[in-house]
Amino acid sequence: MKENRIVDVSVIICTANRPALLLKQLESILSSAVQPREIIIVDQGNAALTAEILDGLKESYAAIQHLLDHGRGASRARNIGWRAA
């Protein structure tokens, strides 16, 4: 069994109503031999869809934060993410 190495990095993912792409991105990150200390999801879309995806992943990787943002814009979402990191 391979052992993953955790590095002191926070990954920030900004999303809005793209659950399939979010899942693919998260699976790619979590299958890597080097994993981030935390993953922060800034969600500007359907929070229920995103929460459903994250619930399944939190069993294998607990360091996922799901932040809701009712505003719009990638810059705004990135700023929320880096502040949370």
Side-chain angles (χ1 to χ4, degrees):
M1 173 186 279
K2 84 174 183 179
E3 191 169 315
N4 294 338
R5 187 169 58 105
I6 305 292
V7 293
D8 193 23
V9 171
S10 298
V11 172
I12 300 165
I13 300 172
C14 305
T15 188
N17 299 321
R18 295 181 182 211
L21 291 175
L22 176 62
L23 180 59
K24 186 175 180 178
Q25 187 174 27
L26 289 169
E27 287 173 341
S28 178
I29 292 168
L30 297 177
S31 68
S32 174
V34 178
Q35 295 186 357
R37 176 179 50 90
E38 67 180 343
I39 299 172
I40 300 169
I41 310 295
V42 182
D43 188 357
Q44 292 182 331
N46 188 330
L49 281 174
T50 304
E52 188 176 313
I53 289 169
L54 298 180
D55 285 345
L57 294 174
K58 283 186 178 181
E59 293 176 14
S60 61
Y61 189 83
I64 297 177
Q65 288 187 60
H66 181 200
L67 305 176
L68 303 177
D69 177 29
H70 299 292
R72 287 285 177 236
S75 294
R76 176 187 166 103
R78 284 192 290 267
N79 286 331
I80 289 169
W82 76 257
R83 285 184 190 114

